[in-house]
Amino acid sequence: MGSSVLQNAGFVLGIIGAAALIAATTMNNWSIKDRQQDVVTSIYTYKGLWRDCETESSGFTECRPFYGLLGFAGSFQAVRALMVVGVVVGVLGALISAFSLQCLKMNTMEDTTKAKMSLTAGIMFIVAGICGIAGASIYANQIVASFRMSSYLNSGGGGMGGMGGGMGGMEGGIGGMGGMPRFTFGPALFVAWIGGGVLLVGGILKSLAFRGMVENDKSRYPGVAYKAQSHSKPDNDDHHSEGGRRDQKYV
């Protein structure tokens, strides 16, 4: 597979992955309230990284932003930071990848410079993908822990009601367990996982394209060995013989 094909494929996947991370970061349905055992099903509750929302059966939606930073758990803040870093690095990698394409001709840019830019964009795609996957995984782990504790409290762990209420602040954006709600995975988690995986693949392709571009640059200008020509001096006898012939000619 040619380096240009790998580079173009990595660029397209990087654009798709960065767009997926942006969409996942701004989505409000990272966690969805489990309504399997809920008597009132006319209200649809879901939470994101920046606000929680409720949608009634009539279609009316009301969202409440998350104010402040100190009231949320450190792991929830880490998820926010990872997603923001992933978005910024992914967008910057996409811009660098666009300028490193071989089909984009620039008079003052050499092929070696484009190869280095392709490698830089590939590394940035990989970092952004890892940030997206890590952020979604941390949030999913919090959902699983909250779901298990809520299930235990709902099944008869009444003696732990105080602990459940106290853990409400620790769970941050996922929702406290004071009222014992249960939340499950939302679509935003899967979008973040898919976007992170696509960015990883795009970064690997860009890195492989760098190797091919360097090899093509070396083969285009192969080393040539130059051999100096040897100049031999004519014999003195030849000079004397030629001079004698010229003298005989003019006698």
Side-chain angles (χ1 to χ4, degrees):
M1 187 180 295
S3 59
S4 60
V5 177
L6 291 174
Q7 194 181 37
N8 294 333
F11 171 70
V12 173
L13 292 179
I15 291 292
I16 296 174
L21 283 190
I22 294 174
T25 305
T26 57
M27 291 173 67
N28 296 322
N29 48 4
W30 278 66
S31 58
I32 300 174
K33 185 178 180 181
D34 184 22
R35 298 188 295 176
Q36 183 177 0
Q37 298 179 354
D38 197 351
V39 178
V40 180
T41 59
S42 60
I43 299 177
Y44 181 68
T45 305
Y46 48 96
K47 299 178 180 291
L49 297 180
W50 315 104
R51 56 183 180 175
D52 57 354
C53 302
E54 290 185 354
T55 300
E56 299 179 357
S57 58
S58 60
F60 176 76
T61 301
E62 182 179 2
C63 295
R64 181 180 63 87
F66 294 148
Y67 296 104
L69 297 176
L70 300 179
F72 303 108
S75 56
F76 181 70
Q77 299 292 355
V79 173
R80 282 178 165 181
L82 286 171
M83 296 305 299
V84 171
V85 171
V87 168
V88 173
V89 175
V91 172
L92 291 178
L95 292 176
I96 296 175
S97 178
F99 287 105
S100 67
L101 293 177
Q102 292 180 339
C103 59
L104 183 62
K105 300 297 182 181
M106 293 185 179
N107 296 330
T108 60
M109 185 176 294
E110 300 179 355
D111 292 339
T112 54
T113 304
K114 284 192 174 184
K116 294 178 181 179
M117 292 177 65
S118 178
L119 178 61
T120 303
I123 294 175
M124 296 181 75
F125 284 159
I126 293 175
V127 172
I130 293 175
C131 289
I133 293 176
S137 300
I138 294 173
Y139 197 94
N141 183 56
Q142 291 181 345
I143 292 177
V144 172
S146 176
F147 186 89
R148 289 179 178 177
M149 183 60 67
S150 299
S151 300
Y152 176 77
L153 294 176
N154 290 331
S155 63
M160 298 182 64
M163 187 182 73
M167 292 182 65
M170 290 182 59
E171 293 301 324
I174 297 180
M177 291 187 296
M180 293 173 290
R182 298 197 308 180
F183 287 85
T184 59
F185 294 170
L189 282 176
F190 300 98
V191 174
W193 276 323
I194 294 173
V198 171
L199 279 170
L200 284 178
V201 176
I204 293 173
L205 292 180
K206 295 289 289 186
S207 302
L208 294 176
F210 163 77
R211 182 177 179 182
M213 293 170 68
V214 172
E215 292 177 354
N216 292 338
D217 186 67
K218 291 181 179 179
S219 62
R220 186 180 303 175
Y221 303 101
V224 180
Y226 294 95
K227 184 178 181 180
Q229 297 180 358
S230 60
H231 300 279
S232 59
K233 295 182 179 180
D235 296 337
N236 293 329
D237 296 339
D238 296 338
H239 288 287
H240 291 300
S241 60
E242 291 178 359
R245 283 196 292 270
R246 286 196 296 270
D247 294 338
Q248 293 176 1
K249 181 177 180 182
Y250 292 105
V251 171

